[in-house]
Amino acid sequence: YLVRVAPVAGGADDTPVFMLVLRDISEARRIDRMRSDFVANASHELRTPLASLRGYIETLQGPAKNDTKAQERFLPIMLDQATRMSRLVDDLMSLSRLEAKAHLSPEQQVTLNTLLEHVRDGLLPLAEDLNVAINLFLPEQQVTVNGDNDELLEVFENLIENACKYGAEGGRVDVYLKAREDGAAEVSVVDYGPGIPAEHVPRLTERFYRVSVADSRSKKGTGLGLAIVKHILSRHRSRLVVKSAVGKGTTFTVRF
Ligand code: ADP
């Protein structure tokens, strides 16, 4: 608690009167701590690829100056590290943009049928690389929600990209759009991959959290995708529900 004592004008018989103000600052402290943890994590995540990049540059300037074999080997790795840093910076900027406009509520009319088709089209090259088929199951009727088109694109890009990356290689990803009877819309992204062990599920939307089960860590990512998804959905007063069965697959459902 933050305590403040302020003198107030004297009482009737001139006895001094004080006002005691108690303010609960635990929430402000918590936010402060989260912010500094975040900066520390972000710096750490950037420092690793930067250190590696510097190491390669020093080698290529020094001992491997005229070694074309080493150059051929190192340059793609260096490009990879630079790409990883760009991805990280893009995700960090996305998060800070969202924080900056947290008080504005998104208010476009977004038709989910066309939005999901856009997302699918944009992810086709990645899906082809991974040999995954993305199937959309859309109702005849147009399903429209109040929201921000670009932000919702980002949500479904993240979820469908994850399903392609972490789902079954050479498998399929099914995306269902439903208008429920109570008028609410629901989108489910289903994969038939290795699934997520239950103890990780509650932590998936934490910043930088990545599940380190066999080969999931080897896939490229920043651990910020689902944090961004959660942030955007809370601005849309919507929920993300995760159901996963190890060995069977995972379903991420957005309830508007
Ligand atoms: P990123 O993909 O950049 O690592 P995300 O925040 O999008 O970060 O996801 C966090 C972690 O959740 C991923 O690293 C992965 O381990 C796990 N994950 C996300 N989606 C799935 C999925 N469909 N199947 C299995 N694991 C998943």
Side-chain angles (χ1 to χ4, degrees):
Y1 285 94
L2 185 72
V3 182
R4 252 196 212 121
V5 183
V8 191
D13 52 0
D14 269 354
T15 31
V17 179
F18 292 92
M19 181 170 64
L20 189 64
V21 182
L22 296 178
R23 194 155 66 89
D24 181 357
I25 55 165
S26 46
E27 178 61 13
R29 280 264 160 77
R30 195 181 63 82
I31 290 172
D32 255 10
R33 199 164 39 234
M34 266 174 54
R35 195 158 285 151
S36 65
D37 283 355
F38 177 59
V39 171
N41 280 334
S43 317
H44 174 79
E45 296 282 327
L46 278 168
R47 197 193 279 147
T48 314
L50 259 178
S52 140
L53 205 51
R54 251 171 84 172
Y56 284 117
I57 293 171
E58 277 162 13
T59 311
L60 289 178
Q61 275 182 331
K65 200 169 185 177
N66 300 311
D67 182 345
T68 43
K69 280 235 166 64
Q71 288 166 8
E72 272 168 29
R73 230 181 56 225
F74 294 163
L75 286 171
I77 306 177
M78 293 165 72
L79 184 61
D80 234 43
Q81 304 286 17
T83 313
R84 184 172 155 204
M85 286 192 284
S86 309
R87 204 171 17 232
L88 202 65
V89 171
D90 285 348
D91 280 354
L92 289 170
M93 282 172 63
S94 251
L95 266 176
S96 85
R97 257 198 314 271
L98 282 167
E99 267 166 9
K101 56 182 187 180
H103 56 287
L104 300 174
S105 70
E107 49 192 26
Q108 294 165 332
Q109 289 277 305
V110 182
T111 304
L112 293 174
N113 312 51
T114 30
L115 182 120
L116 290 171
E117 279 170 347
H118 270 138
V119 174
R120 190 255 330 258
D121 293 348
L123 287 174
L124 280 181
L126 173 84
E128 240 162 59
D129 275 354
L130 297 170
N131 195 19
V132 172
I134 305 175
N135 305 310
L136 294 187
F137 297 91
L138 306 175
E140 296 265 307
Q141 95 227 55
Q142 302 284 300
V143 182
T144 304
V145 294
N146 261 335
D148 181 293
N149 197 65
D150 292 346
E151 290 180 14
L152 292 179
L153 269 174
E154 199 165 344
V155 165
F156 293 109
E157 264 165 19
N158 266 307
L159 295 179
I160 300 175
E161 184 179 329
N162 278 351
C164 293
K165 269 194 327 198
Y166 303 112
E169 237 177 272
R172 64 177 213 272
V173 169
D174 294 336
V175 181
Y176 296 89
L177 168 62
K178 285 183 200 143
R180 291 201 328 235
E181 276 176 12
D182 58 6
E186 197 174 275
V187 180
S188 299
V189 178
V190 186
D191 73 62
Y192 306 89
I196 305 167
E199 68 270 24
H200 295 289
V201 171
R203 302 194 57 191
L204 290 177
T205 55
E206 284 176 22
R207 291 165 177 188
F208 300 111
Y209 194 80
R210 305 195 72 207
V211 180
S212 42
V213 287
D215 98 342
S216 157
R217 273 252 159 201
S218 66
K219 311 257 159 90
K220 291 176 183 141
T222 59
L224 289 172
L226 291 175
I228 294 173
V229 165
K230 185 184 166 192
H231 219 300
I232 294 176
L233 291 180
S234 76
R235 274 163 52 67
H236 284 75
R237 286 190 215 88
S238 303
R239 268 193 339 131
L240 181 68
V241 182
V242 188
K243 290 218 166 82
S244 191
V246 172
K248 294 208 170 119
T250 306
T251 300
F252 282 87
T253 300
V254 175
R255 296 217 170 107
F256 287 93

